[in-house]
């Protein structure tokens, strides 16, 4: 595809009917995007007619049309197109489903459609690059050359001091070695250039000692020198090598030196030998054969001959290259005379020269044989395009660089051109239109004296740029045109608004987009919401009229749906923090993610634009950073942390009362119980923990989870289970590290079930529908699993369930880790919205059937894409699995107080019974910024030491464990519900006689005279007469004037 398709233009003409009709039937506007759409076939004349149809006779007013009116009017004014096409166009324009459209809505839709199409076309033309990466090179001096060896799929880098770097195809540095073993001599010479002799598996290296050495790549030794060409008249500073792919014996090595001389060695039997060996020479391949340049010039070596010219007249030859299509040696200097010389080879083995004179000279050049264009990198900031056969003036000049251009190279496949300037700016040019289509400013260190090397490996899509001894890589993103992307950068969060039926998404580039769930159409987009900072999470208020965005810049912003920011919450106290969740409650806004405490804001105090956080009354109860939270009306709040603890809070009092963990549970004293201790013990800020629990925690503190194996990434209450307090089943679900999903009973403070949803992939995330039928889990590899939990853990059990619920479907909608999941109900059917680090947002139904990806070219109709789940099969499977559930006894109260040894034995037994086969702890990746945690941050064992060291003034106090509460018997109405709730037989009561109808009992008809007193009626009558008299007098006067 060329750049002409990157800009969509309207058809010129007023009657495109026959032409466009043919396109609609058999052709496509772009092969990748399906049949031509009606809006893409409309010409400028058609739009003029449409605009006139929307114009109102009254000034500054437009006409709004319904669906039927629009279809009828368009067929009249345009005269072509089917009724279905105009109906589809109306539905696309009427995004809000108002039932009518006007000219403003139509033009807004067309502009957005053109913009999206233009962006898709540009993605196929302009290469998309990964972030600039600096490779760990060990060079200590200027890097002179980068080449790729096709035979061994390796990269070679050579620096000025003679150090050769060998890189694998994956750009991992394999080894570095000096190209000569003569260390004393190496100190007194420099390497100037390097070329690869692919046909004979050798490399040639030029030195300041006026030598060119040829090294064998196939030798068992490390690159032994096979030939040494010495006795050159001047130092070669640039080289080039070419060989004939049809006859590998024919090859040419050309080089230029510091005296302006360009010389070339033409080999005629390269596969046999580059140079002839003397008759008495040893045949050992590791022996270096010395070749004198005078012998080569004299024709002593029959397998090669030389050609040369001195047209550059003493100027350093900066670049030399032989091109087979021209059959000419091209060379350049920084001089303004004979800047570029083309030495055409003739049959007589002589050269015929032509030259270009360019003002101020050039640094480099490149030739494109199919375009027959020679590009030059001018010192005067210009990139010029030349026809090699026309030396008078360039055929094109590319303007745009503000500094001297030091490198140019063609992107041959796409017919584009790279140029790199001295101010470290890279530009990509469209040759056909001579336009700059991409500009990249490279972040190199500031330096006055530097040397840059530019090399583009087109086969691998890698662009190498060196800055002195540093080597940077710009890697092209693969299949950028085929992959559908919803955002330009990784998507961090998705929300669903049931009021507007829209999906709201955010990315790492601080962009928020709004999509229609029923069509996949993007309706608006906010950019730069937090500057350049990443938006890590979002939330909606209860009425879904305000959007809250949390960013790594340490702020939470409150927006309306028109893009206006009403408040900024200063979460991080003017510092950068990792916000993982925003929980909007009735009276508070809770923010978590980067510390052990809950950050709280109270909306009743939102009287300014910048809002500061307030104090959370419950203080700090977690031992690690809080990652997530969930709320269950009327007052239950739970928070989960990185170490696996789940703390239960009373949201009304903001006090914590219990801690849940897969390995233990502990009770927290309330603030009222700890108040006397606070008055006596001045150094303690946390609520006192009971001694029995301290002993238990002391045993656990020696094995603090520093790798996040139990990290709680998501918490969800099962709110639809309204009778759970009676049945004593699970009402809370957690997931996170090691791929586990756990079901909890917050009333009895028990872990009822746990199972491995995704094994060996680290942490996972989840989402649950509002009816609590489906659990959806996603992992770091882009896989989704849908589970049926409708009948899972509905009742309490003495044994912990480890059998997973029924797995409905497992599939992979993304190529990278799933960052956020959301479930929504539309038309009685449940949809799964998943966002990923691969920049896409996918929509699927609960059966795994794909609906589409936001951002795809063709919009969908949601009713045509969704299939209903087969519930009967799932229920049968769940019944079969219930019969074979494996159980593990829960920890009893005595087991909670076991020492470390007994605890480890008990845990080992549980692990042996489990089917989990996860990856090692060092491979766990939470997908957040917790991977690089160091164990020195985990100092929580000191906290328990401090708690156990009581002051001597309180030794006389008896502090022990809380007494066990007596078991409370259930009330009689629960034990015998039939006695209290059984419906009693209805007694026979005497029937109430029916009243006679009003018409039979009414003696007279009511009227105003009977309803109101006579005085009020007389006053009303006089007022009516007075109004009639006044109105008649006014009419008489008006008639007289006329």
């Amino acid at each position: 595809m060329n750049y002409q398709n990157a800009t969509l233009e309207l058809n010129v003409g007023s009657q495109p009917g026959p032409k466009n009709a043919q396109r609609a039937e058999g052709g496509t506007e772009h092969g990748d995007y399906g049949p031509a759409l009606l809006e893409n076939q409309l010409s400028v004349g058609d739009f003029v007619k449409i605009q006139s149809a929307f114009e109102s006779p009254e000034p500054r007013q437009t006409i709004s049309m319904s669906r039927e009116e629009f279809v009828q009017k368009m067929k009249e004014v345009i005269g072509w197109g089917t009724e279905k096409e105009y109906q589809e166009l109306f539905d696309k324009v009427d995004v809000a489903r108002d039932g009518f459209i006007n000219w403003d809505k139509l033009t807004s839709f067309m502009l957005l459609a053109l913009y999206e199409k233009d962006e898709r076309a540009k993605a196929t033309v302009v290469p998309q690059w990964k972030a600039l990466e600096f490779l760990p090179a060990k060079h200590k001096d200027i890097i002179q050359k980068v080449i790729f060896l096709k035979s061994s799929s390796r990269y070679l880098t050579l620096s000025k001091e003679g150090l050769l770097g060998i890189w694998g195809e994956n750009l991992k540095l394999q080894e570095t070695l000096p190209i000569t073993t003569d260390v004393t001599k190496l100190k007194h010479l420099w390497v100037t250039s390097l070329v690869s002799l692919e046909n004979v598996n050798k490399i040639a290296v030029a030195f300041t000692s006026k030598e060119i050495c040829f090294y064998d790549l196939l030798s068992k030794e490390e690159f032994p020198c096979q030939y040494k060409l010495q006795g050159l008249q001047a130092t070669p500073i640039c080289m080039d090598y070419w060989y004939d792919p049809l006859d590998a014996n024919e090859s040419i090595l050309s080089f230029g030196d510091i005296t302006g001389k360009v010389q070339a060695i033409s080999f005629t039997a390269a596969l046999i030998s580059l140079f002839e060996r003397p008759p008495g020479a040893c045949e050992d391949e590791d022996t270096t054969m010395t070749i004198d340049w005078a012998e080569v010039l004299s024709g002593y070596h029959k397998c090669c001959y030389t050609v040369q010219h001195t047209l550059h007249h003493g100027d350093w030859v900066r670049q030399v290259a032989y091109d087979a299509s021209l059959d000419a040696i091209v060379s350049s200097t920084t001089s303004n005379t004979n800047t570029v010389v083309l030495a055409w080879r003739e049959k007589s083995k002589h050269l015929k020269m032509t030259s270009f004179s360019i003002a101020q000279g050039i640094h480099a050049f490149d030739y494109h044989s199919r375009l027959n264009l020679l590009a030059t990198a001018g010192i005067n900031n210009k990139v010029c395009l030349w026809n090699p056969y026309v030396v008078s003036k360039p055929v094109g000049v590319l303007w745009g660089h503000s500094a001297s251009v030091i490198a140019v190279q063609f992107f041959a496949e796409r017919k584009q051109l790279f140029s790199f300037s001295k101010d470290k700016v890279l530009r990509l040019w469209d040759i056909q239109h001579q336009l700059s289509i991409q500009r990249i400013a490279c972040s190199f260190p500031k330096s006055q004296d530097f040397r840059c090397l530019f090399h583009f490996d087109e086969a691998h899509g890698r662009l190498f740029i060196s800055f002195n001894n540093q080597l940077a890589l710009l890697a092209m993103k693969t299949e950028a045109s085929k992959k559908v992307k919803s955002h330009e950068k990784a998507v961090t969060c998705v929300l669903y608004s049931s009021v507007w039926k829209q999906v709201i998404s955010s990315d790492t580039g601080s962009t928020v987009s709004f999509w229609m769930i029923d069509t996949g159409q993007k309706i608006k987009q906010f950019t730069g919401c937090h500057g350049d900072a990443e938006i890590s999470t979002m939330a909606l208020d209860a009425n879904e009229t305000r959007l809250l965005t949390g960013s790594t810049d340490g702020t939470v912003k409150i927006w309306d749906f028109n893009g206006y920011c009403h408040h900024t919450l200063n979460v991080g106290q003017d510092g950068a923090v990792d916000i993982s969740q925003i929980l909007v409650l009735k009276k508070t806004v809770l923010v978590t993610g980067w510390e052990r405490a809950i950050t709280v804001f109270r909306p009743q105090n939102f009287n300014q634009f910048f809002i500061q956080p307030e104090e959370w009354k419950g203080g700090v109860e977690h031992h690690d950073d809080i990652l997530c939270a969930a709320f269950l009306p009327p007052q239950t709040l739970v928070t989960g942390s990185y170490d696996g603890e789940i703390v239960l809070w009373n949201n009304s009092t903001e006090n914590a009362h219990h801690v849940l963990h897969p390995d233990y549970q502990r009770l927290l004293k309330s603030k009222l119980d700890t108040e006397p201790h606070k008055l006596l013990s001045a150094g303690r800020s946390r609520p006192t923990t009971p001694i029995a629990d301290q002993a238990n925690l002391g045993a656990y503190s020696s094995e603090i989870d520093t790798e996040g194996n139990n990290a709680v990434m998501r918490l969800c209450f099962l709110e639809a289970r309204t009778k759970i307090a009676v049945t004593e089943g699970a009402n809370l679900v957690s997931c996170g590290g090691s791929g586990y999903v756990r079901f909890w009973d917050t009333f009895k403070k028990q872990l009822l079930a746990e199972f491995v949803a995704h094994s060996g992939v680290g942490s996972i995330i989840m989402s649950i529908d509002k009816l609590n039928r489906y659990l959806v889990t996603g992992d770091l590899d882009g896989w989704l699993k849908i589970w049926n939990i409708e009948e899972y853990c509905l009742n309490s059990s003495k044994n912990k369930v480890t059998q997973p619920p029924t797995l409905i479907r497992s599939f992979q909608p993304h190529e990278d880790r799933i960052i956020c999941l959301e479930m929504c109900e539309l038309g009685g059917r449940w949809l799964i919205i998943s966002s990923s680090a691969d920049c896409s947002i996918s929509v699927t139904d609960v059966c795994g059937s794909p609906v589409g990806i936001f951002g795809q070219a063709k919009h969908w109709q949601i009713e045509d894409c969704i299939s209903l789940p087969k519930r009967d099969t799932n229920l049968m499977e769940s019944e079969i699995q219930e019969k074979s559930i494996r159980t593990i006894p829960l920890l009893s109260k005595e087991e909670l107080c076991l020492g470390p040894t007994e605890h480890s034995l008990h845990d080992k037994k549980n692990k042996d019974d489990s089917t989990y086969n996860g990856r090692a702890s060092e491979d766990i990746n939470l997908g957040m910024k917790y991977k690089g945690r160091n164990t020195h941050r985990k100092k929580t064992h000191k906290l328990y030491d401090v708690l156990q060291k009581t002051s001597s003034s309180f030794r006389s106090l008896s502090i022990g464990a809380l007494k066990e509460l007596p078991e409370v018997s259930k009330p009689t109405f629960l034990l015998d519900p039939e006695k209290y709730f059984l419906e009693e037989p209805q007694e026979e009561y005497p029937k109430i006689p029916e009243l006679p109808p009003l018409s039979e009992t009414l003696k007279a008809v009511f009227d105003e005279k009977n309803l109101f007193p006579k005085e009020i009626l007389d006053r009303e009558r006089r007022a009516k007469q007075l109004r009639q008299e006044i109105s008649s007098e006014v009419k008489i006067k008006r008639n007289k004037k006329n």
Side-chain angles (χ1 to χ4, degrees):
M1 176 183 287
N2 57 29
Y3 187 70
Q4 188 174 0
N5 291 331
T7 305
L8 179 64
E9 297 180 356
L10 296 174
N11 298 321
V12 179
S14 58
Q15 295 181 357
K19 178 182 176 181
N20 286 0
Q22 185 179 0
R23 287 176 53 196
E25 292 174 6
T28 59
E29 184 181 4
H30 290 290
D32 298 338
Y33 307 132
L37 302 175
L38 174 67
E39 57 267 28
N40 296 333
Q41 303 178 60
L42 296 174
S43 66
V44 176
D46 294 331
F47 277 101
V48 172
K49 294 178 182 179
I50 296 174
Q51 183 181 15
S52 62
F54 278 102
E55 289 180 351
S56 174
E58 299 181 7
R60 298 182 180 178
Q61 290 188 7
T62 58
I63 297 176
S64 297
M65 298 184 188
S66 64
R67 195 168 188 257
E68 293 76 12
E69 293 173 345
F70 177 77
V71 173
Q72 183 179 0
K73 196 71 174 178
M74 292 303 103
K75 292 179 70 175
E76 292 176 1
V77 299
I78 297 179
W80 60 272
T82 64
E83 182 177 347
K84 184 179 179 181
E85 288 177 330
Y86 288 112
Q87 290 175 349
E88 292 177 354
L89 178 59
F90 181 91
D91 294 338
K92 293 176 185 178
V93 177
D94 186 21
V95 176
R97 297 296 183 265
D98 296 328
F100 66 89
I101 63 172
N102 53 27
W103 174 248
D104 292 337
K105 286 187 176 181
L106 181 61
T107 53
S108 299
F109 164 76
M110 290 302 303
L111 290 174
L112 185 59
L114 291 170
Y115 172 77
E116 290 181 350
K117 195 161 189 177
D118 187 41
E119 289 299 312
R120 284 194 297 268
K122 284 182 179 178
T124 64
V125 176
V126 180
Q128 305 298 315
W129 305 94
K130 298 179 182 178
L132 186 69
E133 177 186 359
F134 284 90
L135 302 179
K138 294 184 179 181
H139 297 288
K140 298 179 181 179
D141 211 331
I142 296 171
I143 298 176
Q144 301 283 37
K145 203 65 179 285
V146 178
I147 60 173
F148 179 71
L149 302 177
K150 296 179 182 179
S151 58
S152 58
S153 297
R154 292 186 295 178
Y155 289 93
L156 298 182
T157 57
L158 186 61
S159 55
K160 189 176 178 180
E161 80 274 17
L163 190 64
L164 185 69
I166 305 172
W167 307 74
E169 195 171 10
N170 57 357
L171 294 179
K172 299 295 183 183
L173 184 61
Q174 297 178 348
E175 62 176 324
T176 57
L177 49 95
I179 58 172
T180 178
T181 57
D182 191 351
V183 181
T184 57
K185 187 176 181 181
L186 189 62
K187 294 180 180 179
H188 303 285
L189 62 87
W190 289 342
V191 172
T192 59
S193 186
L194 164 72
V195 290
S196 171
L197 285 64
E198 288 281 350
N199 59 328
V200 293
N201 294 298
K202 293 178 176 57
I203 59 172
V205 181
F207 296 92
T208 54
S209 58
K210 303 177 183 179
E211 295 176 341
I212 299 177
C213 296
F214 297 83
Y215 297 88
D216 188 11
L217 299 178
L218 299 181
S219 174
K220 298 179 181 179
E221 301 293 331
E222 291 183 344
F223 294 174
C225 180
Q226 191 172 10
Y227 301 102
K228 181 184 289 186
L229 181 61
Q230 63 182 14
L232 298 175
Q233 298 175 358
T235 300
I237 56 174
C238 59
M239 291 194 301
D240 178 73
Y241 185 79
W242 168 89
Y243 71 93
D244 189 351
L246 301 178
D247 183 8
N249 280 310
E250 298 289 335
S251 58
I252 296 175
L253 174 67
S254 54
F255 55 93
D257 59 28
I258 58 175
T259 63
K261 184 181 292 186
V262 175
Q263 303 172 90
I265 306 175
S266 181
F267 299 99
T268 56
L271 295 180
I272 301 174
S273 178
L274 294 179
F275 303 97
E276 292 185 1
R277 289 181 175 271
C282 180
E283 296 295 333
D284 188 3
E285 62 179 4
D286 295 335
T287 302
T288 302
M289 177 178 158
T290 303
I291 309 296
D292 190 80
W293 179 243
E295 294 179 356
V296 178
L297 290 176
S298 64
Y300 174 78
H301 297 271
K302 304 299 181 182
C303 54
C304 63
Y305 65 92
T306 63
V307 291
Q308 62 182 1
H309 74 83
T310 58
L311 200 61
H312 290 297
H313 303 302
D315 296 313
W316 284 28
V317 180
R318 299 295 179 176
Q319 185 180 350
V320 64
Y322 172 78
D323 187 86
S325 61
L326 295 175
D327 196 14
I329 302 171
V330 187
S331 57
S332 67
T333 67
T334 55
S335 173
N336 56 4
T337 57
N338 295 333
T339 309
V340 178
V341 174
L342 282 81
W344 312 86
R345 293 206 308 164
E346 295 182 338
K347 294 182 179 180
S348 60
K349 298 183 181 180
H350 290 85
L351 300 176
K352 180 182 179 180
M353 274 77 69
T354 58
S355 64
F356 302 95
S357 295
I358 304 174
Q360 300 182 29
I362 66 170
H363 281 119
F365 64 87
D366 194 22
Y367 179 72
H368 196 299
S369 57
R370 283 180 289 171
L371 296 177
N372 193 31
L373 286 177
L374 182 72
T376 57
I379 299 176
N380 57 0
N381 308 349
K382 300 177 187 178
V383 176
C384 295
L385 303 175
W386 302 81
N387 185 326
Y389 302 98
V390 180
V391 300
S392 57
K393 63 178 182 179
V395 296
V397 179
L398 307 180
W399 302 80
H401 284 289
S402 56
S404 175
V405 185
I406 57 179
V408 287
Q409 188 171 345
F410 278 102
F411 194 164
E413 181 184 359
R414 299 191 182 187
K415 299 179 181 179
Q416 297 168 347
L417 177 69
F418 289 105
S419 63
F420 190 71
S421 58
K422 204 167 185 178
D423 56 357
K424 305 150 194 171
V425 172
L426 173 69
R427 285 186 179 272
L428 181 62
W429 305 85
D430 176 69
I431 300 302
Q432 182 178 357
H433 295 84
Q434 299 184 12
L435 295 174
S436 175
I437 58 176
Q438 193 174 44
R439 179 186 182 276
I440 301 175
C442 301
S443 55
F444 287 109
K446 292 184 178 180
S447 176
Q448 296 294 332
D449 185 21
F450 67 93
R451 166 79 184 273
C452 274
L453 172 72
F454 185 90
H455 174 71
F456 178 55
D457 181 9
E458 186 171 340
H460 296 84
R462 291 168 174 170
L463 183 62
F464 297 91
I465 306 174
S466 71
F467 183 86
N468 291 335
N469 65 331
Q470 297 180 353
L471 185 61
L473 169 68
L474 266 177
M476 189 185 301
K477 295 180 181 179
T478 57
E479 297 183 356
S481 59
K482 297 181 182 179
K483 183 180 174 182
V484 178
K485 295 200 302 182
S486 309
H487 283 253
E488 289 299 320
K489 297 187 178 180
V491 185
T492 56
C493 184
V494 288
L495 298 174
Y496 176 70
S497 172
S498 57
V499 174
W500 305 103
K501 292 185 179 179
Q502 296 176 8
V503 174
I504 309 168
S505 58
S506 63
D507 62 18
T508 58
S510 201
T511 298
V512 177
S513 299
F514 296 77
W515 315 81
M516 295 302 298
I517 185 64
D518 52 353
T519 62
Q521 182 179 353
K522 183 195 289 187
I523 54 176
K524 55 186 169 183
Q525 179 173 287
F526 304 153
T527 58
C529 296
H530 290 262
D532 295 330
E534 169 188 341
I535 297 177
S536 55
T537 186
M538 297 189 296
L540 289 169
D541 67 346
N543 299 325
E544 297 187 1
T545 58
R546 293 289 184 269
L547 174 67
L548 289 79
T549 58
S551 171
T552 55
D553 63 0
T555 64
V556 171
K557 293 186 178 182
I558 303 177
W559 309 80
D560 60 23
F561 278 49
N562 292 322
Y564 178 76
C565 181
H566 293 266
H567 301 284
T568 297
L569 312 184
N570 190 9
V571 176
Q573 303 290 315
D574 299 326
V577 295
D578 293 324
I579 300 174
S580 61
Q581 186 174 352
I582 304 171
L583 189 62
V584 182
L585 304 180
K586 187 174 182 181
K587 297 182 179 180
T588 55
V589 176
L590 308 181
V591 188
T592 62
W594 70 99
E595 61 180 3
R596 298 181 296 134
I598 298 175
T599 302
V600 60
F601 297 87
R602 308 186 194 280
Q604 63 266 26
N605 299 329
F606 285 9
N607 49 13
Q608 296 179 351
F609 182 78
F610 290 100
I611 309 297
Q612 300 299 326
E614 301 185 30
E615 180 184 3
W616 177 256
K617 299 175 184 177
V620 178
E621 291 294 348
H622 283 278
H623 300 131
D624 212 326
D625 295 347
I626 302 174
L627 303 184
C628 58
F631 179 73
L632 178 67
Q635 60 188 15
T636 304
L637 174 70
V638 293
T639 53
S641 59
Y642 183 82
D643 58 2
E645 286 191 344
I646 300 174
V647 177
L648 278 65
W649 306 78
N650 185 315
N651 187 58
S652 300
T653 63
E654 298 184 0
N655 287 329
H657 55 83
H658 212 93
V659 174
L660 305 177
H661 191 276
D663 299 327
Y664 62 87
Q665 291 84 34
R666 61 187 173 96
L667 180 68
L668 297 174
K669 280 195 173 185
S670 65
K671 292 284 184 179
L672 296 176
D673 297 336
T674 59
E675 199 65 28
H677 295 279
K678 285 187 176 182
L679 296 175
L680 296 174
S681 180
R684 185 180 302 171
S685 62
R686 292 174 56 87
T688 308
T689 305
I691 293 297
D693 289 329
Q694 290 179 26
N696 180 35
L697 290 177
Y700 177 72
S701 64
S702 61
E703 298 180 1
I704 294 293
D705 180 17
T706 60
E707 299 294 339
N709 297 329
N710 293 317
V712 183
M713 303 301 300
R714 294 289 188 276
L715 287 167
C716 293
F717 274 109
L718 302 174
E719 298 185 33
R721 298 186 177 185
T722 55
K723 299 180 181 180
I724 209 69
V726 178
T727 61
E728 298 179 344
N731 67 334
L732 176 67
V733 185
S734 67
C735 76
S738 300
Y740 269 93
V741 175
R742 296 181 172 92
F743 284 71
W744 306 82
D745 181 359
T746 59
F747 296 103
K748 295 184 67 175
K749 316 299 185 297
Q750 280 187 341
L751 174 61
L752 298 184
E754 68 176 8
F755 63 92
V756 179
H758 300 256
S759 62
V761 292
S763 70
I764 62 174
I765 61 172
M766 69 176 180
S767 181
I768 299 176
D769 68 298
K770 291 183 179 179
L771 299 180
N772 303 155
R773 294 177 180 175
Y774 306 107
L775 166 69
V776 182
T777 57
D779 61 24
L780 301 179
D781 292 335
W783 282 84
L784 280 182
K785 291 186 178 182
I786 306 172
W787 312 82
N788 186 343
I789 61 169
E790 191 172 6
E791 305 292 334
Y792 192 71
C793 286
L794 287 179
N795 300 294
S796 178
S797 174
K798 294 182 180 180
N799 300 319
K800 180 172 61 176
V801 178
T802 58
Q803 184 73 17
T806 303
L807 179 63
I808 299 176
R809 188 65 58 88
S810 177
F811 58 99
Q812 187 182 17
H814 299 282
E815 299 176 358
D816 206 338
R817 63 186 177 95
I818 297 176
I819 299 178
C820 190
L821 285 173
E822 186 83 359
M823 293 195 70
C824 68
E825 186 267 337
L826 196 66
R829 300 167 180 176
W830 287 98
L831 300 177
I832 303 167
I833 307 168
S834 57
S835 67
S836 170
D838 63 4
C839 307
S840 67
I841 306 170
S842 176
V843 182
T844 55
D845 66 3
V846 291
C847 293
S849 300
V851 175
I853 299 176
F854 288 116
Q856 68 184 35
K858 186 178 181 181
H859 297 156
W860 61 74
Q861 294 298 326
I862 199 71
E863 58 271 9
D864 299 335
C865 303
I866 306 176
S867 58
L868 289 173
K870 299 178 181 179
R871 291 190 50 186
D872 296 341
T873 306
N874 298 333
L875 293 177
M876 291 174 60
E877 292 179 359
S878 64
E879 291 175 2
I880 295 173
Q881 289 189 359
E882 284 179 0
K883 296 179 182 178
S884 60
I885 289 180
R886 266 185 315 136
T887 58
I888 296 177
L890 288 168
L891 292 177
S892 63
K893 292 183 177 63
E894 293 79 14
E895 289 170 333
L896 288 175
C897 299
L898 291 176
T901 307
E902 292 87 352
H903 242 305
S904 62
L905 292 175
H906 187 80
D907 293 341
K908 183 177 181 181
K909 180 181 178 182
N910 291 350
K911 291 180 180 178
D912 293 339
D913 294 338
S914 174
T915 59
Y916 170 61
N917 185 19
R919 61 171 67 175
S921 60
E922 58 267 21
D923 294 334
I924 299 297
N925 180 7
L926 285 179
M928 300 178 67
K929 298 182 180 178
Y930 297 96
K931 184 176 180 181
R933 286 169 177 260
N934 297 322
T935 55
H936 71 271
R937 291 185 57 195
K938 314 297 179 181
K939 301 293 185 181
T940 53
H941 63 277
K942 293 185 178 180
L943 173 65
Y944 308 118
D945 296 340
V946 174
L947 291 175
Q948 291 174 354
K949 294 178 181 178
T950 56
S951 176
S952 59
S953 59
F954 300 103
R955 288 179 181 175
S956 59
L957 295 178
S958 176
I959 302 176
L962 292 177
K963 294 181 179 180
E964 295 288 341
L965 294 176
E967 186 174 353
V968 180
S969 59
K970 295 184 178 181
T972 55
F973 67 83
L974 290 179
L975 297 175
D976 191 5
E978 296 182 356
K979 180 180 178 181
Y980 292 89
F981 303 107
L982 188 64
E983 295 184 0
E984 297 181 359
Q986 296 182 356
E987 299 181 3
E988 295 184 358
Y989 295 98
K991 293 185 178 180
I992 299 175
E994 295 183 358
L995 295 176
L998 185 62
S999 60
E1000 297 178 1
T1001 59
L1002 189 63
K1003 297 180 180 179
V1005 179
F1006 287 103
D1007 57 7
E1008 291 184 355
K1009 295 180 180 180
N1010 296 329
L1011 291 175
F1012 300 100
K1014 186 175 181 299
E1015 293 82 4
I1016 296 178
L1017 294 174
D1018 292 341
R1019 189 179 303 137
E1020 180 69 19
R1021 180 174 50 80
R1022 288 194 296 270
K1024 288 183 179 180
Q1025 292 177 354
L1026 182 61
R1027 286 197 298 271
Q1028 291 176 357
E1029 292 174 359
I1030 294 173
S1031 62
S1032 61
E1033 291 177 359
V1034 171
K1035 290 181 179 179
I1036 293 171
K1037 292 179 180 180
R1038 188 179 298 168
N1039 293 334
K1040 288 181 179 180
K1041 289 181 179 180
N1042 296 334

